[in-house]
Amino acid sequence: LPTPQPSPLPTLQPAPAPTPQPSQSPTPSPSMVPTTEDTASVDASLTMEGLNASRVTEDDITAITYGVAAVIDGVNASHITGVTVIDASRRRLEGLEQPNKIQDQRQDDQRSASRQLSSASSTVSFTVVVSISESSFADADDLLATVDSTLTSVEANSSSLISKIESAAEATSSGGTSTFTSVSGVSGTTTVLATRNPSSAPTPVPTSAPTSAPTPAPTLRPSVAEDEGGFSWMGLDTMMIAAIAGGAVLLLCAGASWSFYHVKSKGKAKKSQVEGG
């Protein structure tokens, strides 16, 4: 039987697995993180008369942050950190009360009533942190002066700050401006510089390293040939040595002459004795 010419089995050319061109992942330009050499921060606080701290929510904290930033030139909301609100009216009342261990129920009731009737007030504390190189401030002292001047103006007239906070509350707080409608003013503002630009470490002029060679022992006479008056100590020493040597020679000569004379005299005397005998 005829055998058909077998055709080779088709071998599909394997197509390479699709490798989609990967898109470059977006790498947002990182913002410069302030370094300790560039960061300046100011701690500040103010008391809001009529603000009830127990009603303040996180949204209200955000509104305060935006409101405070809006009234300080050169500062935005990202520069305001660590915002806290605490009851200030209770602190004042407790400071005025005198401790008394003997109290009856009527006194307790009166104090409770006085707390309820007193107007609420809350202390708002926050920190302004900026990078000097990325801000309009010349240095940390400039930041402090700006914050201090602003809060002093706010204490004199708080309408602008309250208005800015209420505007921010309408956009951020679910409760709207209800928390701040009873705020009647601002008092007790404080500012303090928390950090400043560090100065370069002082580099004192080093003193000469001590040498191992000992210093010469002090002498009784100057070591120089002549002192300031022009007198030669070295010449004086030479004269003294010469005089001593000369004196010694004279003494030796005198001694020798005396010995010679003495011996000679003895010899003559002995000779005379012999001749006489």
Side-chain angles (χ1 to χ4, degrees):
L1 294 173
T3 57
Q5 183 70 25
S7 61
L9 294 176
T11 56
L12 298 177
Q13 184 70 22
T19 56
Q21 184 69 22
S23 60
Q24 294 291 331
S25 300
T27 56
S29 179
S31 60
M32 297 297 292
V33 177
T35 63
T36 55
E37 298 180 353
D38 184 56
T39 302
S41 60
V42 173
D43 293 332
S45 66
L46 53 88
T47 298
M48 287 189 172
E49 305 294 342
L51 178 63
N52 191 338
S54 63
R55 297 180 57 186
V56 175
T57 64
E58 289 298 323
D59 290 339
D60 294 330
I61 294 291
T62 302
I64 293 173
T65 300
Y66 278 91
V68 169
V71 298
I72 303 177
D73 292 336
V75 171
N76 57 50
S78 64
H79 297 146
I80 308 296
T81 63
V83 179
T84 60
V85 180
I86 61 174
D87 186 10
S89 58
R90 176 177 297 177
R91 180 181 298 174
R92 287 203 302 266
L93 284 172
E94 291 176 351
L96 292 174
E97 291 176 356
Q98 298 297 326
N100 188 356
K101 296 182 179 180
I102 305 175
Q103 297 178 344
D104 55 17
Q105 186 62 38
R106 180 177 298 176
Q107 290 174 327
D108 292 339
D109 292 342
Q110 288 176 349
R111 288 191 176 87
S112 178
S114 65
R115 290 192 182 95
Q116 294 176 1
L117 291 174
S118 62
S119 60
S121 61
S122 300
T123 299
V124 179
S125 302
F126 57 92
T127 301
V128 183
V129 183
V130 301
S131 170
I132 297 298
S133 63
E134 296 183 356
S135 69
S136 59
F137 301 105
D139 50 29
D141 291 329
D142 188 19
L143 172 65
L144 174 63
T146 300
V147 176
D148 185 71
S149 175
T150 300
L151 294 189
T152 299
S153 299
V154 165
E155 189 169 354
N157 184 358
S158 60
S159 59
S160 176
L161 174 62
I162 296 173
S163 175
K164 297 293 185 183
I165 294 175
E166 288 179 340
S167 297
E170 290 179 353
T172 61
S173 178
S174 58
T177 63
S178 60
T179 304
F180 305 101
T181 53
S182 59
V183 177
S184 58
V186 171
S187 63
T189 59
T190 63
T191 56
V192 61
L193 185 61
T195 60
R196 64 173 68 243
N197 295 336
S199 59
S200 302
T203 55
V205 178
T207 58
S208 301
T211 59
S212 57
T215 57
T219 59
L220 296 177
R221 295 176 181 175
S223 59
V224 295
E226 294 184 356
D227 63 4
E228 295 179 355
F231 183 79
S232 175
W233 289 99
M234 186 177 293
L236 179 61
D237 289 341
T238 304
M239 293 174 60
M240 292 179 64
I241 293 173
I244 293 172
V249 171
L250 290 175
L251 289 174
L252 288 173
C253 291
S257 298
W258 181 84
S259 297
F260 177 77
Y261 176 78
H262 183 68
V263 171
K264 187 175 181 181
S265 297
K266 281 186 173 183
K268 287 181 177 182
K270 189 173 183 181
K271 183 177 180 181
S272 297
Q273 289 177 359
V274 172
E275 291 177 353

